[in-house]
Amino acid sequence: MLSRSVLSRQSRRAACKQCTQLTGRRGLAAPASGSFQYETGTAAGVKFAARDVPGPTTHLALVSQAGTRFETRPGLAIGLTNFAFKGTERRSVLRIQRESELLGAELYSKHTREGLVIGAKFLRDDLPYFVELLAEVASQTKYQEYVYHEEVEDTIKLQQKKFLGDVKELASSSAYGVAFHRGLGNSLYPASSTPINKYLSAGSISAYADIAYAKSNFAVVANGADTSALSKWVNEFFPSVRSQASQSVSREQSKYYGGEERIAHGSGNAMVIAFPGSSSFTGGSYKPEISVLATLLGGQTSIKWSPGFSLLSKAASKYPGASISTQSDIFSDAGLLTISLSGAANDMRKASAEIVDTIKTIANGVSKEEFQKAKALAKFKELEFGQNVSAGIELTGSGLVHGDKAYQIDEVAQKVDAVTEEQVKSAAKSLLENKATVSSVGDLHALPFAEEIGLKV
């Protein structure tokens, strides 16, 4: 049986649709500015942000400081992720599913290294219902033991198997562990050798929920919603959510270590070469020159049927058995510039040596044309990434929790525009002067050691 509030909303929506048809006007909510700037505020002790972009739909999410970085035990982030929308004190899981389906909405949950995200995508008129639903999820502190055993444990086992069979994921996870040890170094998915049963239970996940869903540890972010409306409904539905967690979350500054790890594997070859990078725009160690350096290095072309202008794409063309890509991974207080290789071990060995030579070339200076191309592509990628609804919501939620700052893509673009050639040269030099992180997975007889390609570890 559907709630009276849901039915009444449907009636209102039908009436609005009829009026729209009669008047010949479009039913799209379009703000005058159409800006991608977030407006921020606080309601009922909850930090929130919204950008009222044109369109008939809304994307709403609760972004909590509860990713793997902040786990008090292995597997808690993925465990809590799998309990989202499994029922609340007021609504059963079946009722949540039926009401969401009737409203044509999509519910989801996921975790990252820093955050746990529970969100919904729906028609604008249904904002009150989903703000209330997220508030109910955040108020939940007790989980059923049978749900843990039947669903959470099985999901974790499946993800473990997938993780262990993917050499690229293994190399990436290894690189983060070597680079940061704990915190950001915690694996997104626990390996099968991790004693999960020792750490996970409905009780331990409930205790972690008490931390994750305290007002001091999360923010509510919306794309396609009026700021005053979001403030109104957060103020109405979130007062009952606990203000402080029973246990504080460690917010120590991430520390980069560096080093090397080698893992034998028979299902392929992957290698990650990483260096200290840039934090998110909302963090205290944001370095826009790192994003320009990442596009200058590149590896994968952005133009079909062309090797591209990036320096590593030219190197990769010599070794067709090796695939190369460069990525600037950003977090609240740190970052990692990663160069990933995969493919045939012998080609990877030769290509990895060229990567170091390429960094040396950049440190000595590149042509003005190459620099301008790299900066233009870096600006495009930053704007495209920030314009992406999911990415903007997650970065803004994290920024609000860590420093009361939203991820504003206009300001990010301005920072990239201001990057100079000297800044990029200096950044490249620092990569060679500091300890690198090198993780290799696959045929260790053929894959090189860090020192063999000229890197310090």
Side-chain angles (χ1 to χ4, degrees), residues 26 41 79 88 91 154 199 259 311 330 355 400 414 420 425:
R26 297 180 64 194
T88 66
R91 292 178 171 90
D154 289 343
Y199 297 111
L311 301 181
I330 55 176
I355 288 173
L400 290 178
Q414 291 172 5
T420 65
K425 286 172 59 177

Side-chain angles (χ1 to χ4, degrees), residues 92-135:
S92 67
V93 61
L94 182 60
R95 177 179 168 181
I96 291 173
Q97 290 174 354
R98 291 288 177 83
E99 290 182 351
S100 298
E101 288 172 353
L102 183 67
L103 297 173
E106 175 188 335
L107 302 179
Y108 71 94
S109 63
K110 67 176 183 177
H111 73 283
T112 64
R113 292 191 181 277
E114 288 200 296
L116 185 151
V117 184
I118 55 172
K121 303 172 185 178
F122 49 88
L123 296 177
R124 277 179 177 254
D125 291 345
D126 298 319
L127 179 65
Y129 172 82
F130 289 100
V131 173
E132 182 180 17
L133 179 59
L134 291 188

Side-chain angles (χ1 to χ4, degrees), residues 411-431:
E411 296 178 36
V412 173
Q414 291 172 5
K415 294 288 186 181
V416 174
D417 261 339
V419 172
T420 65
E421 293 181 53
E422 284 302 316
Q423 286 178 303
V424 175
K425 286 172 59 177
S426 178
K429 288 178 183 177
S430 68
L431 301 189

Side-chain angles (χ1 to χ4, degrees), residues 66-341:
T68 52
R69 172 182 178 177
F70 302 103
E71 288 177 329
T72 53
R73 297 181 181 183
L76 286 177
I78 188 173
L80 185 54
T81 300
N82 283 281
F83 266 112
F85 306 116
K86 289 291 192 293
T88 66
E89 292 182 1
R90 291 187 60 241
R91 292 178 171 90
S92 67
V93 61
L94 182 60
R95 177 179 168 181
I96 291 173
Q97 290 174 354
R98 291 288 177 83
E99 290 182 351
S100 298
E101 288 172 353
L102 183 67
L103 297 173
E106 175 188 335
L107 302 179
Y108 71 94
S109 63
K110 67 176 183 177
H111 73 283
T112 64
R113 292 191 181 277
E114 288 200 296
L116 185 151
V117 184
I118 55 172
K121 303 172 185 178
F122 49 88
L123 296 177
R124 277 179 177 254
D125 291 345
D126 298 319
L127 179 65
Y129 172 82
F130 289 100
V131 173
E132 182 180 17
L133 179 59
L134 291 188
E136 288 183 18
V137 173
S139 299
Q140 191 80 343
T141 57
K142 302 297 180 185
Y143 300 105
Q144 299 295 326
E145 191 71 40
Y146 78 89
V147 178
Y148 162 71
H149 282 299
E150 290 181 0
E151 303 201 18
V152 176
E153 199 168 83
D154 289 343
T155 300
I156 291 176
K157 288 179 180 178
L158 287 173
Q159 289 174 327
Q160 285 177 330
K161 290 180 180 179
K162 183 179 178 181
F163 174 69
L164 290 175
D166 190 329
V167 292
K168 294 181 182 179
E169 284 292 335
L170 276 175
S172 177
S173 180
S174 168
Y176 271 91
V178 170
F180 295 109
H181 293 183
R182 300 183 185 277
L184 286 175
N186 293 342
S187 177
L188 277 172
Y189 301 102
S192 59
S193 56
T194 304
I196 291 297
N197 292 336
K198 176 181 177 182
Y199 297 111
L200 284 188
S201 67
S204 65
I205 295 174
S206 294
Y208 194 54
D210 181 72
I211 298 173
Y213 297 140
K215 291 179 182 178
S216 56
N217 288 334
F218 71 77
V220 174
V221 186
N223 189 86
D226 179 70
T227 307
S228 59
L230 180 61
S231 176
K232 172 186 175 182
W233 297 119
V234 169
N235 206 47
E236 179 168 336
F237 295 122
F238 273 83
S240 60
V241 177
R242 51 200 171 279
S243 297
Q244 296 291 331
S246 57
Q247 180 181 345
S248 61
V249 175
S250 174
R251 297 187 181 180
E252 293 182 5
Q253 172 72 34
S254 294
K255 181 180 178 182
Y256 175 85
Y257 293 91
E260 183 171 19
E261 184 173 34
R262 295 166 65 80
I263 303 170
H265 205 289
S267 298
N269 303 287
M271 188 174 179
V272 173
I273 300 171
F275 306 91
S278 167
S279 72
S280 167
F281 166 75
T282 61
S285 54
Y286 175 58
K287 301 174 183 176
E289 62 269 24
I290 295 296
S291 64
V292 178
L293 177 58
T295 55
L296 187 57
L297 285 167
Q300 292 184 333
T301 180
S302 59
I303 303 173
K304 195 173 184 179
W305 311 125
S306 168
F309 77 89
S310 72
L311 301 181
L312 290 184
S313 67
K314 297 173 184 177
S317 64
K318 303 177 189 177
Y319 311 105
S323 174
I324 307 175
S325 64
T326 306
Q327 182 77 30
S328 175
D329 296 336
I330 55 176
F331 303 96
S332 61
D333 62 352
L336 202 63
L337 178 66
T338 63
I339 304 170
S340 303
L341 300 91

Side-chain angles (χ1 to χ4, degrees), residues 29-44:
S33 65
S35 173
F36 274 90
Q37 293 288 103
Y38 279 101
E39 293 183 38
T40 63
T42 301

